[in-house]
Amino acid sequence: MSLDLVWQYLLSPAFFQGAVMTLLITVCSLFFGVVMGLVLALLQESRFRAGPVLAFFYLWLFRGTPVLFQIIFVYNVLPSFGLRFSAFTCAVMALSLNEGAYMAEILRSGLQAVRSGQRTAGMALGMTQGQIMRKIVLPQAARIVLPPMGNQMISMLKSSALVSVIAVQELLLIANQTASASFRYFEALCAAGIYYLALTTVFMIGQAWLERALDPKKRKKPALSLTERLLRSSSPQ
């Protein structure tokens, strides 16, 4: 093992560009996946019969087939129907469609967790359904769904490595190409692993910050100093 070579890979433009591509794929797929998931969650709660049926079919299709299958299908089958997109667009499209199915269940559980009395109180105040959803339901549901959404975010970051099969120049493909040229797989994969851990750490910190920002109890509670924490831990119960 050569630590100098690992450091060289970490600072190389190719690995940095691969990490940026991985981050871009993850963020774009998460954004469209959340939008799709919210639409599906609202369809499941719709009073029209066609809404839950369409949502069930979507969930059955995209949760029942592997992500890798969906990526290859979008990239290879859509051109036969005259729909040609770049490899990056196909990757984001496939990952977003897959992520939407899982986000739908997470968001639906969050929406159902808000008590019906909250909606009734909003109606009593003369609020419209849109205002109730925007000002009452969604803010409360956001605190509930944030932890599982954080898990999905990290899972999406790791799933983005699958798009290497359609030649998207993301981090894992760059590492594999570099290792194949030099036969230094250990160093190349270590460098890629460090990038993945760094990106995952950033997501985890962002999730913790959002949880604190959305929790009114944590916002109002002042942070204890180190001395106060030590005194509290040493005091008799």
Side-chain angles (χ1 to χ4, degrees):
M1 175 181 177
S2 174
L3 294 178
D4 291 338
L5 188 57
V6 173
W7 185 252
Q8 181 180 343
Y9 286 154
L10 284 173
L11 298 180
S12 67
F15 272 75
F16 179 77
Q17 291 173 5
V20 171
M21 178 62 70
T22 294
L23 181 61
L24 185 60
I25 292 172
T26 302
V27 172
C28 292
S29 300
L30 281 172
F31 174 78
F32 292 112
V34 170
V35 172
M36 180 65 70
L38 182 58
V39 172
L40 291 170
L42 294 176
L43 281 177
Q44 288 178 297
E45 299 295 320
S46 174
R47 297 178 181 177
F48 300 100
R49 188 174 182 180
V53 172
L54 289 174
F56 173 80
F57 178 77
Y58 185 98
L59 297 178
W60 169 77
L61 180 63
F62 284 95
R63 292 171 66 187
T65 54
V67 186
L68 186 59
F69 168 85
Q70 295 165 19
I71 294 171
I72 296 174
F73 186 92
V74 170
Y75 185 72
N76 291 311
V77 176
L78 290 186
S80 63
F81 293 95
L83 301 174
R84 299 185 180 276
F85 303 101
S86 65
F88 173 82
T89 303
C90 290
V92 172
M93 189 183 304
L95 292 176
S96 299
L97 291 172
N98 180 269
E99 190 68 12
Y102 293 94
M103 284 294 180
E105 292 299 283
I106 293 174
L107 294 174
R108 182 174 67 88
S109 65
L111 294 175
Q112 290 180 346
V114 179
R115 297 179 180 178
S116 59
Q118 301 284 333
R119 295 180 173 88
T120 304
M123 294 174 63
L125 293 173
M127 301 175 68
T128 64
Q129 290 295 329
Q131 290 175 327
I132 293 174
M133 182 63 65
R134 187 175 66 255
K135 297 182 178 181
I136 298 178
V137 178
L138 288 181
Q140 296 183 65
R143 295 196 298 269
I144 299 171
V145 304
L146 188 58
M149 284 183 66
N151 288 334
Q152 281 298 117
M153 187 182 304
I154 295 174
S155 178
M156 172 59 66
L157 174 66
K158 294 181 290 186
S159 297
S160 64
L162 295 174
V163 303
S164 60
V165 299
I166 58 175
V168 178
Q169 295 293 312
E170 49 79 47
L171 182 58
L172 187 60
L173 181 61
I174 294 296
N176 191 42
Q177 290 175 342
T178 303
S180 299
S182 61
F183 296 100
R184 304 301 296 264
Y185 284 92
F186 187 83
E187 289 81 357
L189 292 178
C190 278
I194 292 172
Y195 267 113
Y196 277 118
L197 289 172
L199 293 175
T200 302
T201 302
V202 171
F203 282 176
M204 292 175 65
I205 293 174
Q207 177 187 344
W209 179 83
L210 284 175
E211 288 182 3
R212 185 177 184 85
L214 292 175
D215 192 339
K217 296 180 181 179
K218 293 182 179 179
R219 287 201 307 265
K220 295 178 181 179
K221 184 179 179 180
L224 296 176
S225 65
L226 178 60
T227 303
E228 291 173 327
R229 290 200 299 269
L230 291 174
L231 290 174
R232 176 169 295 187
S233 62
S234 62
S235 60
Q237 299 297 324

